[in-house]
Amino acid sequence: MSMISAALLERAAQQIRQGGLVAFPTETVYGLGANALDPEAVVKIFQAKGRPSTSPLIVHVDSLEMARSLVSRWPSEAEKLAAKFWPGPLTLVLEKAAVVPPVVTAGLNTVGLRMPAHPISRALIRAAGVPLAAPSANRFAGVSPTTAAHVRSSLGDRVDLILDGGPTDVGIESTVLSLAGGRRILLRPGMISREMLEAEIGAVELPENLWQPCDAHPSPGLHRRHYSPTTPLLLIGDGNLPSAGKGAYVWRLNPVERKDVISVQLPSDPAGYAARLYAVLHELDAAGLDWIAVEKLPDSPEWEAVTDRLKRAAAA
Ligand code: TXA
Ligand code: MG
């Protein structure tokens, strides 16, 4: 918390209480926050992002008590997972309480809840005294921001205040697990893996139509094209890069000898890779290239979350 002053924090909390929008760091990506209990404030999030109103928002809390106040049922699985993984990059979708306005949940009877680990997000929720509805702080379908500069270049003055906490640690969005209706469905993979969830609560299902785009989808993160740079992105398994155009190769283990191609190496471990990925995509996307090629990742559980984001980015 040493990163922002008490005066700035109070100004941000006041913005939230007055119905404004504040971008803030979480450990995953930057969020675009508003008072989750104020429908007029929440509408501004959708406007600023250019996000369809059919996409539900995650509500960020700073205590279990606050989490429980937002749901009509707090199942034992939620208790176990919260004890193990909160604060942290896990969103739980639960049956909502009446206090949560329909605009937050896109009219669904469920709400996504998460207790972020970043000290600035926790301090902001505490100072504002209300839960924060917050999607990633970027224009709809773009690459999520992992720095305050990314937020500024994507949203500009559509946001009242940006709290700068430096680059985020995790680097990709939270795992989203639905516990609604007595089922356990992994809606979005993240750095808290399916194996880690199953170790706590037993078998977790995968959504049936993972790749099917549909308007009223209960989980917009599952839309095929999401998390995309505007530059075409290709996943390359064999080192064969396009011969034409200006491009970049983002690799982990195997570089390609091509003097005309920008070469970017990412860390070889999943956590290090995830932490850097979006910053690299933001930078290359701004470089006016014809393509961004990315070395295919191993087909193993610890790479599932980043592979998911890359496949979506490549599906444009
Ligand atoms: O790490 C994160 O989750 C970041 C930070 C800011 O917390 N937030 C984020 O929000 O990625 P957003 O809006 O970009 O993605 C929200 C995801 C959606 O893709 C959807 O899958 C899920 O959360 N979600 C939220 N509420 C839901 C609900 N009621 N039912 C099903 N899915 C829901
Ligand atoms: Mg997003």
Side-chain angles (χ1 to χ4, degrees), residues 58 91 173-176 186-190 221-222 227 308-309:
I58 293 171
T91 296
E173 305 82 356
S174 63
T175 304
V176 179
L186 183 64
L187 295 177
R188 179 171 74 183
L222 298 178
Y227 316 108
D308 167 81
R309 303 307 189 276

Side-chain angles (χ1 to χ4, degrees), residues 118-134:
H118 198 293
I120 293 180
S121 26
R122 303 290 298 287
L124 179 61
I125 301 166
R126 210 168 315 125
V130 292
L132 295 183

Side-chain angles (χ1 to χ4, degrees), residues 49 51 136 138 144 173 226-227:
K49 277 191 65 108
R51 177 174 172 125
S136 52
N138 53 282
S144 292
E173 305 82 356
H226 208 91
Y227 316 108

Side-chain angles (χ1 to χ4, degrees), residues 13-25:
Q14 217 170 335
Q15 274 292 349
I16 294 291
R17 286 191 296 261
Q18 291 169 356
L21 299 184
V22 175
F24 62 95

